[in-house]
C-alpha cells in the first residue's frame, strides 16, 4: 500500500516537472504563475478541510495577511528573503491564535464558519480604511483602498539587486508548489497527520483515546494559515501591489469552489480545481459575452449535483477503468481501491 | 480489601429541571467488574459521561486513584490509562479497522511498537479477517468489536463501557461476553448494561440505578431476585 502510493507520488512529481517545462509553450508564463499561486492557496484549504474536516470560510484572510506582511516587511527591509519568511509566519501565527480561540472555546462547526467569515470581513474593512498617513508600519503606508505598490519583489536570496522575474518567477512558483505538495503528502502520512484525519472523521473518538483534539486542530489550522500566507507572498511579488480585495469574501468563496470542483479529501484535487477554474476565469475575463461569476457558479452547481466528489477522484476512477480494461485481470480488487479513492483520504 | 480506584461523592448532574444523576456515592475497587443497570432514563449514561469527563457534573466530586478529576477533560481522564466506550458506537468510519486501532496504540507507543500492538490486539479480539476493511462497511456487531479493540490498544487498567452489547444478537453477544471476561483479567471494569441475560452471564457486583440514584448495590443473584429491582424494570413505582 505504502510503496504503491509512493510510486504514484514519484511519477506524479516527474509528470509535474515535465508539465513545468511544456506549459509555457501554450500559456503565458505570467498567467501560469498566477494559477500556481492559486493552486498553493487551494492546497491550504484543501489540507485543513479535506483532511482535518475544518471548513474555513475565511482562507482569504490568511492569503491577504501573507501578501500584506510581505509588502510591509519588504518596504522596510528592502530585500525579499526575510519578508518572505515573515509573510508565512505572520498568517500562521494569526491562524494559531484564531484557531486556539475557536477550538479551545469549543465552537461548533457552524460558528467556526461564521467567525472565519467575520474575521475576513473585518480585515477587508480595516484594509480599506487605512488610506490616511497615520496608517503606516515603519516606512510602509498601508494605503487604504488604493493598496500598497512599490515594494521590493522577490530577489535571489542574499542578492537584493538580482530580481526573480518572468519565467524564473514561474519556475520558482512551480518548484514551491511541488515542495508544498510533497511536504503535505508526508504530513498527512505522518502520525500527526493521521491523527488530524481521524479527528476530521470522529473528534470524540480521538478525544476518548486520549489526544488533546484542540491542540491538534489548532496546529493544523496554523499550518493551513502559513501555506495561504506563502501563496499571499508570492502573489504580492507577482502583482507588485497588494490591495484590500485580497481579503474579499469572493476570494474566500473562490477557494472553496476550487476545492469542491477539484475534490475535497485529496491533495491533487484543490490544485486541479484552482488551475482549471483559474484558467477559465482568465479566458472568460477576456470576453464580455457571458458573466464570469455566472459560469463559475453554474459549474459549481453542476459539480455538486453530478460529481460531488470532485474531478480528481473521478479522473482517478476513469484512469483505473481504462487500465483495468486494457491490462488487469483482477478487476475486483482494482475496483475496491477505486471505491476507497472516491471516499477520499486514502487516494493520495 | 483491595484499593479503591474510582469513587464519586454526592455526584449530581442536572439538565435544566431534570435531575439525571442525584447525589450518587459510588466506589470501585481494583480488579472489580461492576455492572450498572437500571431502566431507560435511570441516569446510567449520564453518570458514565460524568466520570469520563464528557459532561461537567453540576455538583459533587470524582476521584480516580485518589486524584480529583471532577473537572478534567476527557482526554486527560483517558490519559490516566482509562479505556472508554460510549453508548453510541464511536469509530472512524472512513478509515480501515487497522488504522482505527493504530490511532489508539500510537497514543502511548512509538510507531514501531504501535504497529506491533495493533497486530496483537487484532489477534486478541479475533478480527484479523476484517483488519483491512473500512469500518463504515462493517456490520454493527463487528464495529462494536472494533471499538473494543480501539479501547484495548491503549492498554488501559480501567475499562468503562456503556452498553457494549446494545443491538447485538446471538453469536455476537457470546463473543462480547468472552472478550469482556478476558479484559477483566487485566483491568477493572464498569459496564453499563440494560439486558438482564447479558448481566447474568458476566456480572459479579451490580449497582442498580433508578431515577438518578442508586437503588441498591449487591451481588448479581441477590439483585436479580430482589422485588424492588423487578418492579423498577417492569415500570412500577417503588
Ligand atoms: N443532554 C441531555 N440534556 C437533557 N436531558 C438529558 C440529557 N442527557 C440525558 N438526559 C435526561 O437524563 C435522564 C437520564 O438519561 P440517561 O441517558 O442517563 O439514562 P440511561 O439510564 O442511560 O438510559 P438508557 O438505558 O435509555 O440508555 C433522562 O431523563 C434523559 O432524558
Ligand atoms: Mg444510556
Amino acid at each position: 500500500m505504502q510503496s504503491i502510493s509512493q510510486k504514484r507520488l514519484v511519477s506524479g512529481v516527474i509528470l509535474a516537472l515535465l508539465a513545468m517545462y511544456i506549459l509555457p509553450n501554450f500559456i503565458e508564463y505570467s498567467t501560469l504563475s498566477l494559477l500556481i499561486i492559486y493552486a498553493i492557496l487551494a492546497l491550504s484549504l484543501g489540507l485543513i478541510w479535506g483532511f482535518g474536516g475544518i471548513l474555513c470560510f475565511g482562507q482569504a484572510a490568511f492569503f491577504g495577511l501573507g501578501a500584506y506582511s510581505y509588502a510591509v516587511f519588504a518596504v522596510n527591509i528592502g530585500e525579499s528573503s526575510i519578508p518572505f519568511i515573515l509573510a508565512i509566519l505572520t498568517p500562521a501565527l494569526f491562524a494559531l491564535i484564531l484557531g486556539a480561540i475557536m477550538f479551545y472555546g469549543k465552537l461548533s462547526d457552524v460558528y467556526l464558519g461564521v467567525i472565519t467569515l467575520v474575521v475576513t470581513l473585518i480585515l477587508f474593512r480595516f484594509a480599506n480604511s487605512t488610506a490616511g498617513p497615520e496608517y503606516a508600519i515603519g516606512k510602509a503606508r498601508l494605503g487604504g483602498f488604493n493598496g500598497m505598490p512599490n515594494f521590493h519583489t522577490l530577489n535571489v536570496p542574499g542578492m537584493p539587486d538580482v530580481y526573480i522575474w518572468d519565467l524564473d518567477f514561474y519556475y520558482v512558483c512551480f518548484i514551491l508548489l511541488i515542495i508544498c505538495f510533497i511536504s503535505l503528502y508526508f504530513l498527512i502520512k505522518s502520525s500527526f497527520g493521521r491523527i488530524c484525519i481521524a479527528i476530521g472523521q470522529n473528534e470524540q473518538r480521538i478525544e476518548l483515546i486520549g489526544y488533546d483534539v484542540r491542540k491538534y486542530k489548532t496546529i493544523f489550522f496554523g499550518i493551513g494559515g502559513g501555506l495561504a500566507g506563502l501563496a499571499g507572498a508570492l502573489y504580492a511579488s507577482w502583482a507588485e501591489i497588494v490591495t484590500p480585495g485580497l481579503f474579499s469574501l469572493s476570494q474566500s468563496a473562490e477557494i472553496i469552489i476550487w476545492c469542491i470542483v477539484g475534490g475535497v479529501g485529496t491533495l491533487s484535487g484543490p490544485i486541479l480545481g484552482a488551475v482549471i477554474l483559474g484558467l477559465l476565469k482568465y479566458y472568460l475575463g477576456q470576453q464580455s459575452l457571458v458573466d464570469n461569476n455566472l459560469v463559475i457558479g453554474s459549474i459549481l452547481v453542476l459539480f455538486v449535483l453530478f460529481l460531488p466528489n470532485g474531478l480528481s477522484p473521478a479522473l482517478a476512477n476513469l484512469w483505473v477503468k481504462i487500465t483495468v480494461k486494457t491490462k488487469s485481470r483482477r478487476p475486483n480488487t482494482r475496483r475496491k481501491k477505486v471505491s476507497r479513492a472516491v471516499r477520499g483520504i486514502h487516494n493520495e | 480489601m483491595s484499593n479503591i480506584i474510582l469513587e464519586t461523592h454526592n455526584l449530581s448532574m442536572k439538565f435544566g429541571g431534570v435531575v439525571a444523576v442525584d447525589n450518587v456515592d459510588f466506589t470501585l475497587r481494583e480488579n472489580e467488574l461492576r455492572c450498572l443497570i437500571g431502566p431507560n432514563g435511570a441516569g446510567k449514561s449520564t453518570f458514565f459521561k460524568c466520570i469520563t469527563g464528557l459532561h461537567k457534573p453540576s455538583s459533587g466530586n470524582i476521584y480516580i486513584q485518589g486524584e480529583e478529576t471532577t473537572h478534567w477533560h476527557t482526554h486527560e481522564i483517558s490519559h490516566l490509562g482509562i479505556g472508554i466506550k460510549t453508548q453510541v458506537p464511536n469509530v472512524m468510519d472512513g478509515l480501515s479497522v487497522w488504522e482505527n486501532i493504530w490511532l489508539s496504540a500510537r497514543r502511548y507507543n512509538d510507531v514501531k511498537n504501535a504497529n506491533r500492538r495493533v497486530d496483537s490486539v487484532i489477534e486478541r479480539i479475533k478480527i484479523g479477517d476484517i483488519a483491512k476493511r473500512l469500518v463504515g462497511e462493517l456490520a454493527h456487531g463487528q464495529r462494536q468489536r472494533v471499538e473494543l479493540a480501539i479501547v484495548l490498544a491503549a492498554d488501559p487498567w480501567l475499562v468503562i463501557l456503556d452498553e457494549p452489547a446494545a443491538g447485538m444478537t446471538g453469536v455476537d453477544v457470546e463473543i462480547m461476553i468472552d472478550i469482556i471476561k478476558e479484559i477483566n483479567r487485566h483491568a477493572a471494569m464498569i459496564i453499563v448494561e440494560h439486558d438482564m441475560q447479558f448481566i447474568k452471564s458476566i456480572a459479579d457486583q451490580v449497582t442498580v440505578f433508578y431515577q438518578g440514584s442508586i437503588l441498591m448495590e449487591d451481588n448479581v443473584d441477590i439483585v436479580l431476585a430482589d422485588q424492588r429491582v423487578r418492579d423498577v424494570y417492569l415500570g412500577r413505582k417503588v
Side-chain angles (χ1 to χ4, degrees):
Chain A
M1 194 67 192
Q2 191 85 0
S3 65
I4 291 173
S5 55
Q6 268 176 18
K7 252 182 226 160
R8 275 169 60 183
L9 175 72
V10 172
S11 44
V13 168
I14 292 172
L15 273 178
L17 286 170
L18 276 177
M20 179 170 83
Y21 285 107
I22 296 171
L23 281 174
N25 295 323
F26 302 101
I27 306 166
E28 259 179 279
Y29 48 76
S30 99
T31 309
L32 283 175
S33 304
L34 183 63
L35 295 179
I36 290 158
I37 293 167
Y38 282 165
I40 297 176
L41 181 56
L43 261 185
S44 77
L45 182 69
L47 175 74
I48 61 167
W49 183 17
F51 295 93
I54 307 168
L55 175 49
C56 173
F57 280 104
Q59 202 66 9
F62 309 122
F63 178 60
L65 217 54
Y68 265 87
S69 306
Y70 177 81
V72 167
F73 289 117
V75 166
N76 283 297
I77 298 173
E79 62 94 45
S80 74
S81 303
I82 295 171
F84 200 79
I85 292 165
L86 290 174
I88 298 169
L89 293 182
T90 310
L93 186 70
F94 184 74
L96 281 177
I97 294 170
L98 186 66
I101 293 170
M102 294 189 303
F103 301 128
Y104 281 77
K106 290 244 155 91
L107 287 188
S108 70
D109 289 346
V110 176
Y111 281 100
L112 188 141
V114 171
I115 289 210
T116 51
L117 200 76
V118 169
V119 165
T120 317
L121 268 174
I122 292 173
L123 285 171
F124 179 63
R125 294 299 291 267
F126 175 74
N128 262 311
S129 69
T130 55
E134 69 274 22
Y135 291 104
I137 301 171
K139 286 186 268 177
R141 274 188 58 182
L142 295 182
F145 47 82
N146 289 321
M148 281 180 70
N150 298 327
F151 48 82
H152 199 102
T153 58
L154 201 64
N155 61 251
V156 177
M159 291 187 249
D161 300 331
V162 188
Y163 287 95
I164 301 174
W165 292 120
D166 301 345
L167 202 56
D168 291 335
F169 183 73
Y170 159 72
Y171 286 132
V172 168
C173 290
F174 211 121
I175 301 275
L176 280 173
L177 173 64
I178 292 177
I179 292 174
C180 286
F181 185 88
I182 295 173
S183 312
L184 294 190
Y185 174 88
F186 284 106
L187 179 76
I188 59 174
K189 294 269 179 219
S190 71
S191 297
F192 173 83
R194 288 159 82 175
I195 292 160
C196 288
I197 291 171
I199 289 173
Q201 296 227 344
N202 187 340
E203 207 171 307
Q204 190 176 61
R205 196 357 111 200
I206 296 300
E207 178 85 18
L208 289 168
I209 288 175
Y211 294 102
D212 189 347
V213 167
R214 307 164 302 176
K215 187 180 83 185
Y216 281 87
K217 283 178 104 173
T218 303
I219 296 172
F220 211 50
F221 196 63
I223 295 173
L227 205 58
L230 168 69
L234 289 172
Y235 181 86
S237 255
W238 178 85
E240 297 176 34
I241 184 169
V242 295
T243 57
L246 294 172
F247 295 108
S248 67
L249 289 184
S250 60
Q251 181 70 68
S252 277
E254 235 174 299
I255 308 171
I256 295 175
I257 297 173
W258 293 336
C259 289
I260 293 176
V261 169
V264 179
T266 68
L267 286 181
S268 51
I271 296 177
L272 213 61
V275 169
I276 291 175
L277 291 185
L279 203 59
L280 193 68
K281 191 180 166 185
Y282 173 73
Y283 286 129
L284 286 174
Q286 291 173 342
Q287 52 85 49
S288 52
L289 214 60
V290 279
D291 181 58
N292 199 332
N293 289 329
L294 204 67
V295 175
I296 303 276
S298 312
I299 290 177
L300 174 68
V301 171
L302 287 176
F303 266 82
V304 169
L305 288 178
F306 299 110
L307 213 57
N309 290 314
L311 263 181
S312 183
L315 288 179
N317 217 335
L318 194 69
W319 173 250
V320 172
K321 259 186 201 152
I322 293 168
T323 48
V324 164
K325 271 209 182 117
T326 53
K327 274 190 278 178
S328 175
R329 286 167 189 276
R330 296 174 301 147
N332 280 334
T333 56
R334 283 292 187 132
R335 219 161 269 153
K336 216 173 229 167
K337 245 173 227 158
V338 179
S339 78
R340 272 177 212 188
V342 171
R343 277 164 201 266
I345 310 293
H346 276 303
N347 67 334
E348 288 306 330
Chain B
M1 244 191 166
S2 54
N3 293 328
I4 292 175
I5 51 175
L6 183 144
E7 76 191 303
T8 70
H9 286 167
N10 294 326
L11 192 72
S12 294
M13 180 75 209
K14 299 188 181 79
F15 298 106
V18 181
V19 186
V21 173
D22 192 6
N23 270 312
V24 170
D25 289 322
F26 177 88
T27 38
L28 182 80
R29 289 170 189 282
E30 260 172 22
N31 305 322
E32 217 179 313
L33 190 163
R34 180 77 65 87
C35 281
L36 305 187
I37 68 169
N40 287 107
K44 306 176 301 287
S45 289
T46 307
F47 177 76
F48 159 89
K49 285 178 184 166
C50 286
I51 57 178
T52 53
L54 291 165
H55 278 328
K56 298 284 160 255
S58 311
S59 61
N61 312 79
I62 302 160
Y63 301 89
I64 296 176
Q65 290 206 314
E67 193 160 10
E68 172 149 19
T69 61
T70 314
H71 297 291
W72 284 23
H73 289 287
T74 301
H75 67 91
E76 293 166 325
I77 291 170
S78 165
H79 192 78
L80 290 172
I82 299 178
I84 307 163
K85 182 195 169 312
T86 56
Q87 186 168 351
V88 215
N90 240 330
V91 284
M92 276 68 76
D93 278 334
L95 304 179
S96 71
V97 170
W98 202 94
E99 181 81 9
N100 265 268
I101 302 167
W102 182 86
L103 287 154
S104 175
R106 178 72 181 88
R107 180 68 185 88
Y108 305 106
N109 294 289
D110 58 22
V111 172
K112 219 172 111 198
N113 285 325
N115 292 345
R116 212 175 297 147
R117 233 200 113 72
V118 177
D119 292 333
S120 84
V121 170
I122 282 177
E123 200 173 312
R124 193 167 154 200
I125 306 287
K126 302 183 181 68
I127 45 176
D129 50 329
I130 54 169
K132 293 221 165 65
R133 302 263 306 272
L134 281 182
V135 174
E137 294 172 346
L138 300 177
H140 178 73
Q142 291 173 316
R143 294 173 78 221
Q144 295 274 48
R145 254 189 287 163
V146 169
E147 196 174 2
L148 262 195
I150 294 174
V151 169
L152 293 186
D155 206 10
W157 53 266
L158 169 60
V159 176
I160 309 178
L161 310 173
D162 195 353
E163 304 210 12
M168 282 188 173
T169 48
V171 190
D172 281 336
V173 178
E174 298 292 322
I175 296 172
M176 186 56 77
I177 289 170
D178 288 343
I179 295 174
I180 286 175
K181 284 181 175 161
E182 204 264 344
I183 296 173
N184 188 227
R185 284 212 289 269
H186 313 276
M189 297 185 84
I190 299 175
I191 298 172
V192 176
E193 194 44 73
H194 208 93
D195 183 71
M196 284 297 187
Q197 276 322 108
F198 190 74
I199 291 157
K200 273 185 200 158
S201 48
I202 56 168
D204 177 23
Q205 282 293 107
V206 174
T207 302
V208 187
F209 269 71
Y210 180 58
Q211 295 185 341
S213 310
I214 293 178
L215 180 71
M216 70 178 295
E217 199 168 81
D218 214 320
N219 187 276
V220 59
D221 300 322
I222 299 170
V223 166
L224 295 188
D226 192 277
Q227 193 56 44
R228 284 178 303 167
V229 176
R230 293 179 176 198
D231 287 345
V232 161
Y233 261 84
L234 292 173
R236 276 180 232 145
K237 287 244 181 262
V238 277

